[in-house]
Each structure stands twice: as C-alpha cells, then as structure tokens.
Amino acid sequence: MLWLWITLGAIVAVCLTTGTVLLLRRHKIVLVDKADAWLVQEFSRCNVMVYGKKRQGKDLIFAHVIALRGEKHYANIPYNENTEIISLDELNVGDNTFEDFINGTVRPFTPRFEEGYDVYVSDGGIYLPCHFNKELNTKYPGMPIFFALSGQLYDMRVHINSQALSRPWDKLREQADSYIQVLRTDRRDDYLYTRIVGYDSYDNALNEKNPTVRFTVRIPISELKYDTRYFREALFDSPSACGDILSKILWR
C-alpha cells in the first residue's frame, strides 16, 4: 500500500510539473529568476535605455530592477526609500565642456556622487528631448561627457526611459549599450507581467531586428513603492480636483 501511495504521489508531481511547463509555454512566460538575473546583469553592466508606448511599464522595469538590486541610487523621481532625488544639471563634469577636452583646459572639480551607485532618468524624452538640441547643448554642455565617463569617474551607469527610442537627446541615447523595449503589462492577481525585448545596439532596436532576449518579467505589486502618476502630482496645482484617482503604487 505504501508503494502505491508513493507511486501515485510521483505521478501527481509529474502531472503538475508538466502542466506548469505547458502553461508557461502557452503564455510565453520565461522563468522569473532568469528574467530577473538578466535585468540585474544588464543594468549592472552598462548604460541601459528602456522605451515603449505610454503606460506600458517602462518605470515598472526601473522600479523592479531597483528593488532587485536593493541599493542606493540616484533618480529624478522617487522610486523607493533608497532613491536620492537629483536634478539633471548635476550630471556634469564640473564646468568642463567638450572644448576644454579639445583644448587641454580641463579643470578638476569636486565629486558629486558616491562611488558605485547608478542614475535612473525617468521620461528622458520630456526632460531631454532631441528636438531641443540647441537648448540642451546650452543648458547641459557637460552631460554627454558625464554619460561617457560615468563609469571611470564613479563606477556608475546611467539609465534612461522614454516613450520613443529616438526621442531623447541623441548625444545620450546612442551611448547606451543595451536597449529594452517594453511591449505591455498585464495584471494577474498580486503580480504584474511585463513583456520585454532586449537589443544590443541602437540600430537593431530602432529597426526591431536581431533581438538578444525576450522575457516576460513577473513583478510583485507589493514591491512597488513609487507613484506611477508622478507628473499629475508634480504639475497640477490641485491634484485631487479630478477625484482621488492617483495610483500611488499600482500601474493601471
């Protein structure tokens, strides 16, 4: 009788495992640990640009990576208790510009950031729009140099997200080494499932060819601690005027 129960238990276990695998394949869900491991590796390795249509989960990916890494970081919006808010004009190399490097007139400056902590720039297409190239060159002359040298200066990587791949300042977007397209996000119970595609070059990302990975990232809703409608709070003079619809931690 004992062997019968053991045999039945083994059969049930095999059926459950097979059913789970088939369910994952049907919904094209890659095992969570593999997706998470890849995201952490990419964000730890290089500058990453995340892009996709509005309200599909770009900041969700930022928030998830930040939670997975569990480290202090710098950002222009608050993601969690480890965020140190910065203004974008702090992303500089002192008063030095390209002309100083060309002319050999580079001047030492006081370091602004701690070693080894990354920067996350939300909505780069709004704060750093490429069609305002002249204004950006005037306001942020040292920012492209900061992006190029952040690894050497601070052992830091700088990540940007935007609704369109080509929208952020070209002097910055083409310095990324990894491009992640966010396709959509769906909710199932206590999790959000975000579909992403990864590319290893700007041209491949722009033309949506030769993707390096495809994942569905599972994000616990309990993990999210940022305001997904941050700009409503930041821009409206009376955010509650349209009713209490501000979602503090949940993408909708």
Side-chain angles (χ1 to χ4, degrees):
M1 181 63 71
L2 177 61
W3 285 106
L4 177 61
W5 284 111
I6 292 174
T7 302
L8 288 174
I11 293 173
V12 170
V14 169
C15 291
L16 287 174
T17 301
T18 303
T20 300
V21 171
L22 291 175
L23 183 63
L24 291 173
R25 286 179 178 175
R26 187 176 71 181
H27 291 286
K28 298 180 180 180
I29 298 172
V30 179
L31 293 179
V32 176
D33 57 349
K34 187 174 181 181
D36 288 353
W38 182 82
L39 283 170
V40 170
Q41 173 184 297
E42 287 299 280
F43 277 79
S44 300
R45 178 180 69 86
C46 61
N47 293 350
V48 178
M49 181 168 176
V50 177
Y51 64 99
K53 295 180 180 179
K54 61 184 179 181
R55 306 295 289 169
Q56 295 306 315
K58 298 178 294 297
D59 274 315
L60 277 179
I61 292 298
F62 269 16
H64 184 52
V65 169
I66 286 169
L68 288 173
R69 298 179 75 183
E71 301 173 337
K72 173 182 175 177
H73 56 278
Y74 304 96
N76 59 331
I77 72 170
Y79 284 101
N80 65 16
E81 65 277 1
N82 292 323
T83 305
E84 180 177 325
I85 299 294
I86 62 168
S87 59
L88 295 184
D89 57 10
E90 295 180 76
L91 305 180
N92 60 51
V93 286
D95 294 326
N96 296 297
T97 65
F98 283 110
E99 286 76 10
D100 291 304
F101 282 84
I102 293 170
N103 298 327
T105 56
V106 174
R107 300 169 299 282
F109 62 97
T110 303
R112 159 66 181 88
F113 300 100
E114 291 185 56
E115 187 92 358
Y117 299 118
D118 286 6
V119 173
Y120 297 81
V121 179
S122 177
D123 279 299
I126 295 176
Y127 284 102
L128 303 164
C130 63
H131 51 288
F132 280 83
N133 186 66
K134 180 179 178 180
E135 291 83 352
L136 292 172
N137 283 328
T138 300
K139 183 172 179 59
Y140 304 121
M143 185 181 288
I145 303 172
F146 178 91
F147 269 62
L149 299 181
S150 61
Q152 295 186 46
L153 295 175
Y154 300 107
D155 188 23
M156 164 195 288
R157 286 134 299 274
V158 187
H159 316 295
I160 300 177
N161 71 39
S162 175
Q163 287 185 20
L165 176 62
S166 60
R167 193 167 298 166
W169 194 7
D170 56 356
K171 290 182 178 180
L172 306 181
R173 69 172 185 250
E174 293 175 2
Q175 291 195 49
D177 300 295
S178 181
Y179 300 83
I180 298 175
Q181 182 181 21
V182 178
L183 301 179
R184 63 174 294 159
T185 295
D186 298 298
R187 178 178 180 176
R188 297 178 209 158
D189 299 323
D190 295 329
Y191 293 90
L192 300 174
Y193 292 84
T194 301
R195 294 169 52 198
I196 65 172
V197 181
Y199 299 92
D200 61 2
S201 73
Y202 177 77
D203 286 340
N204 282 342
L206 186 64
N207 295 299
E208 297 186 9
K209 65 180 184 181
N210 301 323
T212 54
V213 297
R214 294 179 184 272
F215 287 121
T216 295
V217 184
R218 188 177 74 162
I219 304 172
I221 290 174
S222 60
E223 174 184 279
L224 304 178
K225 300 180 181 179
Y226 77 103
D227 181 355
T228 64
R229 301 188 65 189
Y230 170 81
F231 285 101
R232 184 174 188 272
E233 184 85 356
L235 296 178
F236 284 1
D237 60 1
S238 179
S240 61
C242 296
D244 186 18
I245 59 173
L246 189 64
S247 51
K248 290 296 184 182
I249 62 170
L250 178 58
W251 180 92
R252 297 182 186 276

